[in-house]
Amino acid sequence: MGIFNNAALARPEAHQQVPGTTMPKSPINTKKWWKYRNLRALNLWLLIPLLSIYAQGFDGSMMNGLQSVTNWQTYFGTPKGATLGIFNAANPIGGVIGTFLIAPVSDRWGRRVGLCFGAVLCCLGAALQGGATDIAMFVVSRGVIGCGSIIVAGCGAPYITEIAHPEQRSTATALFLTFYSVGSVTAGWCTFGTFRIDGSASWRIPSALQGLPSLIQIIFVWFVPESPRWLVSVGRNEEALAMLVKYHGEGDPQDPVVLFEYNEITNALEEEKEIARNTFIGSAKEFVSGAGNRKRVAVMVWAAICSQMSGNAFVSYYLSPILSSVGLTSDLQQTLINATSQMVSWFSALYFATLPAKVGRRTLFLWSITAMWIVVISITAGSAMFAQNNNNKAAGYAVVVFLYIFSPAYNLGWNGNLGLYIPEILPFHLRTKGLSFFYFVQLCFQILSTFAVPIGLENIHWRFYTIFVVWIMVEFVGVYLLFPETKGPSLEDIAYIFDGPPATKDYGNAEEKAVEEMKG
């Protein structure tokens, strides 16, 4: 699963829930946005930052596909166990480094520069990967790609939220999350199309193509309007207002939505200047002081563990050895299954992104864990039956079916639903720091998962799955006991769930003051 920056994942409607005010109705019919010249241009330019999460989706699917390509296996000496783990873990290791560069680059020089900087690293990594001459060069290139892709995603995500029309931010956020699967689908079919090529070009072409979306971003990001929030943060208020007037008001400086947005941005940033004076140590102490904040930390850590340790590394990075273990060994079979399973994952992610507001966050987490548990049990049983009798084709095919089902089971609770849940349980003044902590923990467990899985598969084969059968049951208990439901309440009421009425009032002060200033 990919890692996203906090600003994009915070609920776009949060600003509309400030007590005492509501977002005015736009004179523009955003449901028919294509009829408005500037809004149409803005939504089309949004495709550039939407590509930001594409690289992460491409990576996992490509590595799945390459492990099914005979020429790649031969060239690198058929890597297994710890060696194969290093191949895949290099990407999140680079990502850990990248998380420390997101804010300094994008906050100082702007979202466009930050996105371009990450994209340049992705292109450099893809060039090194496509031209790799040995294992060391390939591993280093993957670390560079991991660093760049995290920066691109971390800059691109808030960029979308900050420039999209306020009535379309929810849709834009949901689309951003689904582009991970778009990258997976593209990589799956790319490796399926090149595995027949005789020679190293069969794996060099998809390896180099990983940089194509980043190259597109480098060229066209300068045509995308800069974030008005960032412009205000560096004192370029007139440019920020001009951007809002042009793209959100179709050139009307008296558009009520534009005036509301501009006042909201300027007032909120004034409040954040006061909050930003807190030291890092002071913020860290605040996270461990008080029962409410300690519970938030526990929820974030458990969510990070569940999102990476539920067996999803099997499907994301190690589909090839699993398919080989049930008798599906040909390049054609494995690359085709990889490509088509990614399409199933994409379609499910699109639909499940609509469920959190209807069903509830906690409910989806529990349903998802239950579904994954059933799927992992089925994969384990089918693999065991095939290991006992290699002529039992039905058992092998059953494993394949449940491998297809695993991604939808995971996406049900741990894709878009997780992206909404973590930001909304954090109070206003701790949201950025809390999400940075969450991403760091998530990446650490991603490294552990991608490194440990191939070793387990090599040493104990299908029996390795039984670990996840037991562990997923533990995850269910943890979510059931720790995770409160957040469907329905405003951000202030969610703070009340954790801290009680006094904390709710404190956490709402920043936004309430902004409203009072606007009224005055």
Side-chain angles (χ1 to χ4, degrees), residues 49-96:
L50 277 171
L51 287 173
S52 299
I53 199 65
Y54 176 103
Q56 293 185 34
F58 191 101
D59 183 78
S61 180
M62 183 198 72
M63 286 305 298
N64 256 337
L66 291 186
Q67 291 173 62
S68 303
V69 176
T70 301
N71 286 311
W72 183 86
Q73 293 279 2
T74 302
Y75 193 92
F76 291 107
T78 314
K80 294 180 180 179
T83 304
L84 183 57
I86 292 173
F87 268 100
N88 288 319
N91 187 283
I93 289 173
V96 169

Side-chain angles (χ1 to χ4, degrees), residues 119-378:
V120 168
L121 288 179
C122 287
C123 287
L124 175 61
L128 291 173
Q129 187 173 250
T133 56
D134 52 36
I135 290 179
M137 186 173 177
F138 195 88
V139 169
V140 169
S141 69
R142 290 188 49 68
V144 175
I145 291 173
C147 181
S149 63
I150 285 295
I151 296 172
V152 169
C155 296
Y159 196 9
I160 293 170
T161 302
E162 292 166 3
I163 67 174
H165 193 282
E167 293 185 5
Q168 297 180 323
R169 282 174 184 157
S170 296
T171 302
T173 302
L175 285 174
F176 178 80
L177 296 172
T178 62
F179 264 69
Y180 181 95
S181 296
V182 174
S184 299
V185 170
T186 304
W189 286 110
C190 182
T191 53
F192 175 75
T194 60
F195 82 89
R196 300 174 181 81
I197 299 175
D198 187 22
S200 63
S202 60
W203 60 267
R204 293 188 187 278
I205 290 175
S207 295
L209 283 177
Q210 191 168 358
L212 180 59
S214 298
L215 180 61
I216 294 173
Q217 288 183 309
I218 293 171
I219 296 172
F220 292 103
V221 71
W222 311 108
F223 297 94
V224 185
E226 182 57 273
S227 161
R229 184 178 181 86
W230 178 79
L231 290 171
V232 170
S233 73
V234 294
R236 295 160 61 177
N237 293 38
E238 292 184 3
E239 294 178 53
L241 182 58
M243 181 273 169
L244 295 172
V245 168
K246 179 178 180 179
Y247 291 105
H248 293 183
E250 283 297 311
D252 180 8
Q254 300 303 317
D255 185 287
V257 170
V258 169
L259 296 177
F260 183 92
E261 279 190 286
Y262 182 72
N263 286 330
E264 185 182 48
I265 291 171
T266 53
N267 287 326
L269 286 178
E270 284 298 319
E271 296 290 346
E272 288 177 6
K273 287 180 181 178
E274 297 297 323
I275 296 170
R277 293 174 185 173
N278 293 336
T279 64
F280 175 81
I281 296 176
S283 298
K285 288 181 178 179
E286 187 171 0
F287 264 118
V288 296
S289 63
N293 282 339
R294 286 195 293 270
K295 184 172 183 178
R296 288 185 177 95
V297 171
V299 169
M300 287 190 291
V301 171
W302 196 249
I305 293 172
C306 294
S307 69
Q308 297 301 324
M309 303 298 291
S310 298
N312 40 308
F314 293 138
V315 179
S316 298
Y317 284 98
Y318 301 110
L319 188 61
S320 176
I322 294 176
L323 294 176
S324 297
S325 70
V326 293
L328 299 173
T329 58
S330 74
D331 293 10
L332 175 62
Q333 289 173 321
Q334 292 190 1
T335 55
L336 181 60
I337 290 172
N338 180 46
T340 51
S341 65
Q342 298 300 340
M343 294 187 69
V344 172
S345 178
W346 178 33
F347 293 144
S348 68
L350 284 172
Y351 175 68
F352 292 152
T354 67
L355 295 183
K358 301 175 183 177
V359 178
R361 280 66 153 158
R362 182 175 183 270
T363 301
L364 288 177
F365 284 132
L366 294 174
W367 285 3
S368 178
I369 292 175
T370 302
M372 287 191 293
W373 183 64
I374 294 172
V375 170
V376 172
I377 288 176
S378 302

